[in-house]
Amino acid sequence: MNLKSQLERNIFNTLKEEFQISTEKLEIQVTRKEFEGDYTLVVFPLVREMKMKPEQAAEAIGEALLKRSEIEKFNVVKGFLNLSLKTDVFVDFLQSSPEAFEAIDNKLMVEYSSPNTNKPLHLGHIRNNLLGYSVAQILKATGNDVIKTQVINDRGIHICKSMLAWEKFGNNETPASTGLKGDKLVGDYYIAFDKAYKEEIEELVNQGMSKDEAKKQAPMILEAQKMLRDWEDNDPKVRELWSEMNNWVYEGFDATYERLGVDFDMVQHESETYILGKDLIQQGLERNVFFKKEDGSVWIDLTEEGLDEKIVLRSDGTSVYITQDIGTAVERFEKYEIDGLTYVVGNEQDYHFKVLFLILKQLGYDWSENLHHLSYGMVDLPEGKMKSREGTVVDADDLMDQMVQTAKEIAAEAGKLEGMTQEEKDDLYEIIGLGALKYYILKVDPKKRILFNPKESIDFNGNTGPFIQYAYVRIQSILRKEKPQDIDLSTYDFNEIEKDLLKTLNEYNDTLQKAANELNPSYVANYVYDLVKTFNSFYQNNSILNAETEMQKQARLHLAQRVAYTIQNALNLLGIQTPERM
């Protein structure tokens, strides 16, 4: 049962039967601390139909509710009706099973990660993966059928740069021969290419060539471009090297994904999707959605939409990124019969997705209304913005190692791990360190840029993952000593902080629905932080195991158990594990 939903239904019925008022929406909120009551009905929107002043309308509704619902008493403050619920309503809520969402006939796809196979995953990928995975989990928890996918960018000039550098400088080394993860090894050669390329440019400039011309004529870039043409012509030698080096990268990615706790239901590769979309461009030309310029290139004019002209096919007939995105979107809706698609991509691609969605709409696809771009801000460290080509990228694996090491140091200082084996300790450091990383990133609204401070994220006080995990551990410690019993609590009189805790628990499903609607896991993260703060306030002032009566003890044990369940459930949607001890 849901306290607020039940109250809402009763108010709807009362308004209809007592005042002949049918309204589609009521504004009900938890009563503010300075007023008496549990929930507050905002009466102002109803006064016109009731033909009363706000205070009179509130009094009339309050009197009617007293006669026919779970309301024990009420008070009126201007146009606000503060309602106090009967004790048995709280008891019923506490003793009912947590309400699960019903499955709905809605299949959604979430695309996230989608890295390039020329370098390892970095801090920006961490935010992307955590957002994508968490959004998918939240959508699934609210009753949707969800497919998690990624398109790996496994072709193009950037891939050839790593391949060429390995051919020139690699001496046939492999991940096995070097002990390096495959994505790291390939990433090193991407950096090696850039270094050699810059040296060639400098040399050509010294010989009198302009810098722009030197960038085009440097032997390294010419060889890389030739390798790309050979790849497109299916040259067996180039394709074999491409396949081998990509497989090294995939193994590296998989290890990072596994440690980060994210996964995918299906994986697509750009080498298979880049040919999609060309037929749709032809169809659009025939229907005058697109137009052809003198050089043979194909464009769309979006000036009426406040944008500009956008190329969709080059003059040589090759596709651009948006061409394959058009084709991939259409294939997904047709092949997988999905109802909606969310792209988790950084905000530097806002324009690209505006154009993509408009093109699909103009091509006549009704489902274009169900396309969403989950646009998120970049992640910085206190040291400054991340860069990749120079090899100063904030590596995802290194950052996870750092988080786990910091967790280890803090746990060692606290000194509460006696009796645990080294394996148990290592597992705990992993859970705390990665929980801190995930929570710090997911508690921020996706649209906002993040300054990620590793040390601050792992603090055991404040709005952090370890703070929330510790509350769960504290409750488990209590429940190991005594489990709640099934006893009659119908006469139990909850105090104010206990009611606050129950009302906060009651907000969980509404929070999940809001997070799903807005594709925003920060609602769940900040909800669970508020829940823990409320629980800690309750715990500091109310003994559980040494309660004054058996009924009080049992009520509080049930309450603590429900809080622990909700903490675990919420953290799970954020991809965060809950330890049993800390």
Side-chain angles (χ1 to χ4, degrees):
M1 65 171 284
N2 184 297
L3 296 174
K4 202 168 170 184
S5 299
Q6 185 175 311
L7 176 61
E8 190 174 53
R9 279 194 299 273
N10 283 331
I11 295 174
F12 272 126
N13 291 337
T14 299
L15 288 171
K16 189 174 183 181
E17 293 165 22
E18 298 281 337
F19 302 99
Q20 291 73 54
I21 291 175
S22 292
T23 181
E24 290 183 6
K25 190 177 179 186
L26 294 171
E27 192 177 337
I28 300 171
Q29 52 201 222
V30 174
T31 303
R32 286 162 55 181
K33 296 281 185 202
E34 60 264 37
F35 300 111
E36 183 185 6
D38 298 312
Y39 289 97
T40 298
L41 172 68
V42 181
V43 177
F44 295 106
L46 304 170
V47 294
R48 180 179 289 180
E49 284 193 73
M50 292 185 72
K51 297 175 182 171
M52 297 179 186
K53 290 180 179 178
E55 290 88 342
Q56 291 175 313
E59 285 283 350
I61 295 168
E63 290 292 349
L65 287 169
L66 274 183
K67 291 184 280 184
R68 52 175 297 151
S69 74
E70 69 276 19
I71 301 305
E72 184 175 67
K73 56 185 175 178
F74 72 90
N75 66 85
V76 175
V77 180
K78 296 183 179 176
F80 299 93
L81 175 59
N82 301 321
L83 303 164
S84 297
L85 303 182
K86 292 176 181 174
T87 293
D88 59 355
V89 177
F90 287 107
V91 172
D92 289 347
F93 172 73
L94 180 58
Q95 295 193 317
S96 65
S97 298
E99 220 172 12
F101 285 83
E102 289 183 15
I104 52 179
D105 185 19
N106 200 38
K107 187 188 280 190
L108 304 175
M109 184 177 280
V110 180
E111 179 196 299
Y112 57 98
S113 196
S114 300
N116 297 328
T117 57
N118 63 323
K119 52 192 171 186
L121 303 175
H122 56 61
L123 178 52
H125 288 119
I126 286 183
R127 187 176 199 189
N128 182 298
N129 276 274
L130 296 181
L131 277 172
Y133 178 80
S134 185
V135 162
Q137 294 301 96
I138 290 165
L139 289 171
K140 199 180 293 183
T142 48
N144 300 280
D145 184 8
V146 180
I147 302 170
K148 294 171 287 187
T149 190
Q150 63 169 328
V151 180
I152 297 180
N153 300 308
D154 65 339
R155 62 172 284 277
I157 191 70
H158 51 292
I159 311 297
C160 290
K161 288 176 180 179
S162 295
M163 291 163 58
L164 181 65
W166 183 88
E167 271 194 339
K168 284 183 174 295
F169 318 125
N171 296 317
N172 293 316
E173 67 179 18
T174 66
S177 71
T178 60
L180 278 175
K181 275 180 80 219
D183 53 338
K184 301 273 198 300
L185 182 66
V186 173
D188 286 347
Y189 283 104
Y190 184 64
I191 295 165
F193 174 93
D194 194 61
K195 185 176 176 228
Y197 178 41
K198 281 179 177 171
E199 288 171 358
E200 289 181 351
I201 293 169
E202 190 178 353
E203 192 176 328
L204 290 172
V205 169
N206 290 338
Q207 292 170 12
M209 194 179 283
S210 74
K211 191 162 187 179
D212 284 346
E213 191 61 25
K215 284 180 180 177
K216 294 175 189 172
Q217 297 301 327
M220 288 291 285
I221 197 67
L222 293 174
E223 287 183 72
Q225 288 167 350
K226 181 183 183 303
M227 184 177 271
L228 179 58
R229 290 194 296 274
D230 289 342
W231 182 90
E232 288 173 349
D233 291 338
N234 278 312
D235 180 282
K237 187 183 171 192
V238 172
R239 285 278 178 154
E240 186 180 349
L241 177 60
W242 169 77
S243 179
E244 183 177 26
M245 290 182 74
N246 273 345
N247 283 331
W248 294 346
V249 175
Y250 299 149
E251 287 177 13
F253 284 172
D254 287 347
T256 304
Y257 290 144
E258 186 176 355
R259 189 178 187 191
L260 197 56
V262 304
D263 59 9
F264 303 90
D265 301 307
M266 55 173 274
V267 176
Q268 294 176 284
H269 298 87
E270 196 186 313
S271 55
E272 296 159 359
T273 63
Y274 83 103
I275 53 173
L276 296 174
K278 289 186 183 181
D279 56 332
L280 297 169
I281 303 302
Q282 187 56 44
Q283 290 171 29
L285 270 171
E286 292 165 7
R287 290 165 44 202
N288 296 318
V289 173
F290 306 117
F291 68 93
K292 195 173 273 193
K293 290 195 174 180
E294 287 181 10
D295 65 355
S297 59
V298 181
W299 297 69
I300 186 167
D301 185 356
L302 296 172
T303 50
E304 285 188 13
E305 307 287 346
L307 301 175
D308 52 13
E309 293 182 349
K310 176 72 179 175
I311 188 168
V312 293
L313 212 59
R314 295 189 187 96
S315 56
D316 62 2
T318 57
S319 62
V320 290
Y321 272 116
I322 208 147
T323 321
Q324 49 197 294
D325 281 348
I326 293 165
T328 305
V330 172
E331 182 189 65
R332 285 169 169 175
F333 276 87
E334 290 177 352
K335 184 174 180 181
Y336 300 100
E337 298 182 327
I338 57 174
D339 300 296
L341 171 58
T342 295
Y343 299 88
V344 183
V345 182
N347 56 15
E348 72 276 10
Q349 294 294 329
D350 285 354
Y351 174 77
H352 174 86
F353 284 101
K354 275 183 190 170
V355 171
L356 174 64
F357 298 170
L358 280 170
I359 289 174
L360 288 163
K361 184 178 181 181
Q362 292 197 19
L363 285 171
Y365 294 105
D366 294 340
W367 45 255
S368 62
E369 299 295 326
N370 300 324
L371 296 171
H372 306 282
H373 173 208
L374 175 47
S375 170
Y376 63 88
M378 294 298 99
V379 186
D380 298 322
L381 287 173
E383 292 77 37
K385 191 178 176 184
M386 298 185 304
K387 296 179 181 177
S388 58
R389 282 197 306 277
E390 291 83 358
T392 55
V393 64
V394 182
D395 183 90
D397 296 320
D398 292 346
L399 183 58
M400 287 192 281
D401 285 341
Q402 182 186 340
M403 295 299 296
V404 173
Q405 180 59 32
T406 306
K408 183 177 182 178
E409 290 163 7
I410 291 173
E413 282 175 27
K416 294 182 179 178
L417 305 181
E418 62 275 359
M420 293 180 75
T421 66
Q422 190 57 50
E423 186 180 352
E424 288 170 334
K425 288 178 184 177
D426 289 342
D427 286 345
L428 180 61
Y429 305 147
E430 191 85 5
I431 291 170
I432 295 172
L434 296 189
L437 170 66
K438 294 176 183 184
Y439 185 82
Y440 197 92
I441 285 177
L442 290 173
K443 74 176 181 179
V444 180
D445 187 301
K447 293 185 286 294
K448 293 181 180 175
R449 194 170 191 134
I450 294 178
L451 181 65
F452 178 71
N453 187 322
K455 286 186 179 175
E456 189 180 290
S457 74
I458 213 159
D459 195 330
F460 275 69
N461 296 301
N463 191 2
T464 67
F467 175 75
I468 293 163
Q469 288 170 323
Y470 187 69
Y472 177 83
V473 167
R474 173 180 276 165
I475 296 171
Q476 293 310 304
S477 175
I478 294 166
L479 296 176
R480 277 195 293 272
K481 291 170 186 168
E482 188 162 349
K483 292 272 191 293
Q485 305 297 314
D486 289 329
I487 70 165
D488 182 10
L489 297 174
S490 58
T491 58
Y492 183 66
D493 187 19
F494 292 97
N495 64 30
E496 284 308 307
I497 187 65
E498 289 168 339
K499 284 183 182 178
D500 286 345
L501 203 44
L502 287 162
K503 285 181 280 186
T504 305
L505 286 166
N506 186 67
E507 294 293 314
Y508 181 53
N509 276 9
D510 287 346
T511 303
L512 286 197
Q513 192 60 66
K514 186 178 181 184
N517 292 345
E518 299 186 28
L519 304 172
N520 190 338
S522 73
Y523 292 132
V524 177
N526 289 292
Y527 164 84
V528 74
Y529 172 59
D530 288 339
L531 175 63
V532 166
K533 280 197 300 181
T534 307
F535 173 78
N536 286 348
S537 178
F538 154 76
Y539 181 77
Q540 284 157 15
N541 298 291
N542 296 270
S543 176
I544 297 178
L545 297 179
N546 294 316
E548 292 175 13
T549 67
E550 181 64 20
M551 183 182 288
Q552 189 178 63
K553 179 172 76 172
Q554 291 303 324
R556 290 175 179 175
L557 282 169
H558 278 282
L559 196 49
Q561 186 179 54
R562 184 69 166 266
V563 170
Y565 170 86
T566 307
I567 291 172
Q568 186 175 47
N569 200 284
L571 289 182
N572 183 52
L573 295 179
L574 304 175
I576 298 172
Q577 292 178 269
T578 42
E580 294 298 312
R581 288 185 61 188
M582 277 174 81

